Amino acid sequence: MAPPDAILGITEAFTKDKNPNKVNLGVGVYRDDNAKPWVLPSVIEAEKRIFSQCMNKEYTTIIGMREFYNKAIELALGDDSDILKEKRYTSSQCLGGTGALRVGGAFLGLFWRGERLVHIPIPSWPNHRSIFMHSGFKIATYSYYDPKTLGLTTQGLFDALNKMPEKSIVLLHACAHNPTGCDPTKEQWCEISHIIRCRKLYPFFDMAYQGFATGDTDDDALAVRLFANDGHTFCLAQSFSKNMGLYGERVGALTIICSSAEEAKRVASNVKTLIRPMYSNPPVHGARIAIEIFKDNELYKIWMEDLKTMANRTIGMRQELREKLIELGSKQSWEHITNQIGMFCYTGLKLEQVARLTNEFSIYLTKDGRIAMVGVTSKNVGYVAECIHNVTKE
Ligand code: LMR
């Protein structure tokens, strides 16, 4: 038997639990204040428009719908990007962020001529390791987070980048780092970009949370745009699972930024030959929803509001959880709950404390102490705080 998945396995265990007070803070999926899945109003309206057009169910192309992937990359790079004007890129519609990472991994696995090494931050989303291993790479790790300060280890990160073998690949979380919720500042990103250039490293950005970190898609694109302006070539995996709430529709995009339009054409032709035997072509419905939202100003504005609704509710819950822990008399500093950003809080809870939360109180979270803040609601925040206090008090 293979072990259960580090994240999705938790949902399986949660489903079997009979405790009426159970709370699932494992997987990163947004919930409304009643702990119910939330279909974004912009998505509901987009679907109405799609149904009214009675669209057919033909195959799309191997790399999906042009209207989708062109808008997706515009969202990441900004519509005034030189890369777009010079056509120095190739984008493909993929099966969510995971699919985009996997196709990018397969492409590099076949054509990468440098060190067969992908550097992943410690900690990182567990699937990164598996994806790049399955793409034929060895995995190395780099310092990112300091458990003592519960924040970014700036010097540790710079030192690690400086020591990486030339021409190896470095996986970067574009925004709202999963699981820590700690992102570099603009100045730190500038330095990261500088070191990556000096060390001849190849960046692979995973952007699963654009709009979810700050509530603003432009602000969250800071790192990717900075690397684009600095002239890097890189891979970018985008996911619309979180920011459009299209989890099960599997909507994502892979873009490979190239050094010329001519190179981009060659890369595109090879990406196609990889996708065709993997899954032939991507599903159409989710991408059609995204297209409807992208192409209509009014719907786009509603989407931006939806993003703010999700980001603000999550920020509010961070505040409440922290206040409740202090009210309960916790002696620990829970400042990091409100300092961190995005979907998750990296609580700093130890393995035994996590086990107690799950076994005694039916609160489900990943073993590394990550909780999905998006699953905390005004109804369960009191219970969650009490249980955390219970397992952390001396
Ligand atoms: C998570 O980290 O919880 C999400 O990215 C969902 C997943 O696929 O793991």
Side-chain angles (χ1 to χ4, degrees), residues 6-11 24-31 125 242 247 343-344 364-366 370-375:
I7 294 173
L8 300 184
I10 292 169
T11 306
N24 188 3
L25 304 180
V27 65
V29 288
Y30 181 81
R31 296 286 177 247
W125 182 52
K242 328 284 177 174
Y247 308 94
M343 272 201 158
F344 304 106
Y364 287 79
L365 64 163
T366 55
R370 183 193 84 167
I371 60 174
M373 280 310 305
V374 284

Coordinates of all heavy atoms in Angstrom, one line a residue, residues 6-11 24-31 125 242 247 343-344 364-366 370-375:
A6 N -0.2 13.5 1.4 CA 0.0 14.4 2.5 C -1.1 15.4 2.7 O -1.4 15.9 3.8 CB 1.3 15.1 2.3
I7 N -1.8 15.8 1.6 CA -2.9 16.8 1.8 C -4.2 16.2 1.5 O -5.1 16.3 2.3 CB -2.6 18.0 0.8 CG1 -1.3 18.7 1.3 CG2 -3.8 19.0 0.8 CD1 -0.8 19.8 0.4
L8 N -4.4 15.6 0.3 CA -5.7 15.1 -0.1 C -6.1 13.9 0.8 O -7.3 13.6 1.0 CB -5.8 14.8 -1.6 CG -5.5 16.0 -2.5 CD1 -5.7 15.6 -4.0 CD2 -6.4 17.2 -2.2
G9 N -5.1 13.2 1.4 CA -5.4 12.1 2.3 C -6.1 12.5 3.5 O -6.8 11.8 4.2
I10 N -5.8 13.8 3.9 CA -6.5 14.3 5.1 C -8.0 14.5 4.9 O -8.8 14.2 5.8 CB -5.8 15.7 5.5 CG1 -4.4 15.4 5.9 CG2 -6.6 16.4 6.5 CD1 -3.5 16.6 6.0
T11 N -8.4 14.9 3.7 CA -9.8 15.0 3.4 C -10.5 13.7 3.5 O -11.6 13.5 4.0 CB -10.0 15.6 2.0 OG1 -9.3 16.8 2.0 CG2 -11.5 15.9 1.7
N24 N -12.2 20.7 8.9 CA -11.2 20.4 7.9 C -10.3 21.6 7.6 O -10.8 22.4 6.8 CB -11.8 19.7 6.7 CG -10.7 19.2 5.8 OD1 -9.5 19.2 6.1 ND2 -11.1 18.6 4.6
L25 N -9.1 21.7 8.1 CA -8.2 22.8 7.8 C -7.0 22.2 7.0 O -5.9 22.8 7.0 CB -7.8 23.5 9.0 CG -8.9 24.1 9.9 CD1 -8.4 24.8 11.1 CD2 -9.8 25.0 9.1
G26 N -7.2 21.1 6.3 CA -6.2 20.4 5.6 C -5.9 21.0 4.2 O -5.0 21.8 4.0
V27 N -6.8 20.7 3.3 CA -6.6 21.1 1.9 C -6.9 22.6 1.8 O -7.8 23.2 2.5 CB -7.5 20.3 1.0 CG1 -9.0 20.5 1.2 CG2 -7.1 20.5 -0.5
G28 N -6.2 23.3 0.9 CA -6.4 24.7 0.7 C -7.6 25.0 -0.3 O -7.4 25.1 -1.5
V29 N -8.8 24.9 0.3 CA -10.0 25.2 -0.5 C -10.8 26.3 0.2 O -11.1 26.1 1.4 CB -10.9 24.0 -0.9 CG1 -10.1 23.1 -1.9 CG2 -11.2 23.2 0.3
Y30 N -11.2 27.3 -0.4 CA -12.0 28.4 0.2 C -13.3 28.0 0.6 O -14.0 27.2 -0.1 CB -12.1 29.6 -0.7 CG -12.8 30.8 -0.1 CD1 -12.1 31.6 0.8 CD2 -14.1 31.0 -0.3 CE1 -12.7 32.7 1.4 CE2 -14.8 32.1 0.3 CZ -14.1 32.9 1.1 OH -14.7 34.0 1.8
R31 N -13.7 28.4 1.8 CA -15.1 28.1 2.3 C -15.7 29.5 2.7 O -15.1 30.4 3.1 CB -15.0 27.3 3.6 CG -14.4 25.9 3.4 CD -15.4 25.0 2.7 NE -15.0 23.7 2.4 CZ -14.8 23.3 1.2 NH1 -14.9 24.0 0.1 NH2 -14.4 22.0 0.9
W125 N 5.2 22.9 -1.0 CA 4.0 22.1 -1.3 C 4.5 20.7 -1.6 O 5.4 20.5 -2.5 CB 3.3 22.7 -2.5 CG 2.0 22.0 -2.9 CD1 0.9 21.7 -2.2 CD2 1.7 21.6 -4.3 NE1 0.0 21.1 -2.9 CE2 0.4 21.1 -4.2 CE3 2.4 21.7 -5.5 CZ2 -0.2 20.6 -5.4 CZ3 1.7 21.2 -6.6 CH2 0.4 20.7 -6.6
K242 N -7.8 28.4 -7.2 CA -8.1 29.2 -6.0 C -8.7 30.5 -6.4 O -9.7 30.9 -5.8 CB -6.8 29.4 -5.2 CG -5.8 28.4 -5.2 CD -6.2 27.2 -4.4 CE -5.2 26.1 -4.5 NZ -5.3 25.0 -3.7
Y247 N -11.6 24.8 -8.7 CA -10.8 23.6 -8.3 C -11.0 22.3 -9.2 O -10.1 21.9 -9.8 CB -11.2 23.2 -6.8 CG -11.1 24.4 -5.9 CD1 -12.2 25.2 -5.6 CD2 -9.9 24.7 -5.3 CE1 -12.1 26.2 -4.7 CE2 -9.8 25.8 -4.4 CZ -10.9 26.5 -4.2 OH -10.8 27.6 -3.3
M343 N -3.6 31.7 1.7 CA -4.6 30.8 2.1 C -4.3 30.1 3.5 O -5.2 29.6 4.1 CB -4.8 29.6 1.1 CG -5.7 29.9 0.0 SD -6.2 28.3 -0.7 CE -7.8 28.8 -1.4
F344 N -3.0 30.1 3.8 CA -2.5 29.2 4.9 C -1.9 30.0 6.0 O -1.4 31.1 5.9 CB -1.5 28.2 4.3 CG -2.0 27.4 3.2 CD1 -1.6 27.6 1.9 CD2 -3.0 26.4 3.4 CE1 -2.1 26.9 0.8 CE2 -3.5 25.7 2.3 CZ -3.1 25.9 1.1
Y364 N -8.5 18.8 11.5 CA -7.7 18.2 10.5 C -6.8 19.3 9.9 O -7.2 20.3 9.5 CB -8.5 17.5 9.5 CG -9.1 16.2 10.0 CD1 -10.3 16.3 10.8 CD2 -8.5 15.0 9.8 CE1 -10.8 15.1 11.4 CE2 -9.1 13.8 10.4 CZ -10.2 13.9 11.2 OH -10.7 12.8 11.7
L365 N -5.5 19.0 9.9 CA -4.5 19.9 9.3 C -3.3 19.1 8.8 O -3.2 17.9 9.2 CB -4.0 21.0 10.3 CG -3.3 20.5 11.6 CD1 -2.6 21.7 12.2 CD2 -4.2 19.9 12.6
T366 N -2.4 19.7 8.1 CA -1.3 18.9 7.6 C -0.3 18.7 8.7 O -0.2 19.5 9.6 CB -0.6 19.5 6.3 OG1 -0.2 20.8 6.7 CG2 -1.5 19.5 5.1
R370 N 0.4 23.2 9.1 CA -0.2 24.2 8.3 C -1.7 24.1 8.5 O -2.3 23.0 8.4 CB 0.1 23.9 6.8 CG -0.4 24.9 5.8 CD -0.3 24.4 4.4 NE -1.4 23.5 4.0 CZ -1.7 23.2 2.8 NH1 -1.0 23.6 1.8 NH2 -2.8 22.4 2.5
I371 N -2.4 25.3 8.7 CA -3.8 25.2 8.6 C -4.3 26.1 7.5 O -3.8 27.1 7.2 CB -4.5 25.7 10.0 CG1 -4.1 27.1 10.3 CG2 -4.2 24.7 11.1 CD1 -4.8 27.6 11.6
A372 N -5.4 25.6 6.9 CA -6.0 26.4 5.8 C -6.9 27.4 6.4 O -7.9 27.2 6.9 CB -6.8 25.5 4.9
M373 N -6.4 28.7 6.5 CA -7.1 29.8 7.1 C -8.5 30.0 6.4 O -9.4 30.5 7.0 CB -6.3 31.1 7.0 CG -5.2 31.3 8.0 SD -5.7 31.0 9.7 CE -7.1 32.1 10.0
V374 N -8.5 29.6 5.1 CA -9.8 29.8 4.3 C -10.9 28.8 4.8 O -12.0 29.0 4.4 CB -9.5 29.5 2.8 CG1 -8.8 30.7 2.2 CG2 -8.7 28.2 2.6
G375 N -10.5 27.9 5.7 CA -11.6 27.0 6.2 C -12.0 27.4 7.6 O -12.9 26.8 8.2

